[in-house]
Amino acid sequence: MSNVRSALFVLLCLCVVLCGGCATLHHSEPIDVIMTGLEPLQGEGLEVRMLVKLRIQNPNDAPFDFNGVSVKMDVQGKPFASGVSDAAGSVPRFGETTVSVPVSIPLFRIARQTVGVITSDYGGKLEYEMTGKLAGQEFDSVPFSSKGVLTLPAEFFEGGK
């Protein structure tokens, strides 16, 4: 009887592994998330608040429903801003939508970045990387990452001349 139980256990484990393998065969392209704008918000204490506007593009043949967004932004490889939103929506198949996420930037991080820009030769260009997650239904969350370059106005380096 013990051999039968062992055989059934091995068979059950094999079925679980095979079913998991079949689930990974569904191929879909990654969701693209692009920062399209920044707007100032009312700050609180020692932080600056901004509203980050994101464009979510779905290159797949099925719609994607989400019910939350989290965002972290690094500037010049250092943590800069983070935020979350309980925004919910749906990105249609081969479509796009926009969502806004409020982020907080501690004043100390702004000071550190400013000193870094002034004392280094960035040439008015700051590299940023934005990472985050779109919370999907149950366990269907989608991570995203986007990189870009922010160009500072020339007046920043010329002292307003």
Side-chain angles (χ1 to χ4, degrees):
M1 192 68 166
S2 175
N3 288 339
V4 171
R5 282 188 185 177
S6 295
L8 285 175
F9 179 73
V10 169
L11 184 61
L12 178 63
C13 289
L14 184 61
C15 287
V16 168
V17 168
L18 288 175
C19 288
C22 291
T24 61
L25 289 178
H26 175 69
H27 177 71
S28 64
E29 296 293 320
I31 301 286
D32 291 326
V33 179
I34 304 158
M35 182 172 60
T36 60
L38 285 170
E39 294 180 7
L41 293 174
Q42 180 69 35
E44 297 178 21
L46 294 175
E47 70 178 1
V48 172
R49 304 268 295 157
M50 302 288 284
L51 190 66
V52 176
K53 294 187 176 186
L54 304 174
R55 180 172 313 283
I56 305 167
Q57 297 176 331
N58 181 4
N60 298 298
D61 194 25
F64 177 75
D65 297 326
F66 64 94
N67 59 12
V69 183
S70 68
V71 174
K72 289 185 181 182
M73 186 181 293
D74 293 348
V75 174
Q76 294 301 116
K78 295 183 175 94
F80 189 67
S82 63
V84 294
S85 172
D86 64 352
S90 181
V91 188
R93 60 184 287 277
F94 298 109
E96 60 184 35
T97 191
T98 58
V99 65
S100 297
V101 179
V103 298
S104 298
I105 309 166
L107 199 55
F108 298 113
R109 289 184 184 167
I110 293 171
R112 181 181 64 202
Q113 289 291 344
T114 303
V115 168
V117 168
I118 291 171
T119 60
S120 300
D121 185 26
Y122 290 131
K125 298 181 190 264
L126 298 175
E127 294 180 6
Y128 73 88
E129 180 177 11
M130 181 179 57
T131 58
K133 178 175 70 170
L134 294 170
Q137 304 300 322
E138 297 180 22
F139 301 109
D140 194 25
S141 294
V142 174
F144 62 85
S145 178
S146 177
K147 293 181 179 184
V149 176
L150 299 170
T151 303
L152 296 174
E155 295 86 22
F156 184 81
F157 297 101
E158 298 171 2
K161 295 179 185 177

